[in-house]
Amino acid sequence: LDPRVTVLGHIQRGGVPSGRDRVNATKMGYLAVELLLAGKTNRIVCTHDGGFTDVDMDEGLAMKKSIQRMEVDVLAAMTGI
């Protein structure tokens, strides 16, 4: 047998990470380390208005994110549902 490491998120999303995914992950990781070096803990790094920011973990978990009905209809049409 030839075992391989597999990242479940890549399989669920449908493939290997794109170049943009890798760049964004690097930027988010960099910001996370900068936050730790500044003594900030319990933070979530996220995207906002085309950039990256951080929010308090409890605040971030309490946020509600909804999908607009138009987006659902477009996604359904794209996937043939």
Side-chain angles (χ1 to χ4, degrees):
L1 296 176
D2 183 23
R4 297 181 186 187
V5 175
T6 303
V7 179
L8 182 59
H10 297 163
I11 294 171
Q12 289 174 332
R13 195 186 64 204
V16 297
S18 67
R20 177 180 289 163
D21 292 333
R22 293 175 191 271
V23 170
N24 285 343
T26 301
K27 290 178 179 180
M28 293 175 87
Y30 179 83
L31 178 56
V33 171
E34 289 293 314
L35 291 167
L36 288 171
L37 291 174
K40 295 182 179 181
T41 59
N42 295 325
R43 308 297 291 173
I44 297 174
V45 176
C46 55
T47 59
H48 182 69
D49 290 336
F52 299 100
T53 188
D54 64 296
V55 296
D56 179 71
M57 188 175 296
D58 292 329
E59 180 185 340
L61 292 172
M63 290 179 181
K64 299 292 182 198
K65 191 91 168 161
S66 63
I67 298 175
Q68 301 299 321
R69 184 69 210 168
M70 186 178 90
E71 292 176 19
V72 173
D73 292 340
V74 170
L75 290 172
M78 289 172 48
T79 58
I81 296 175

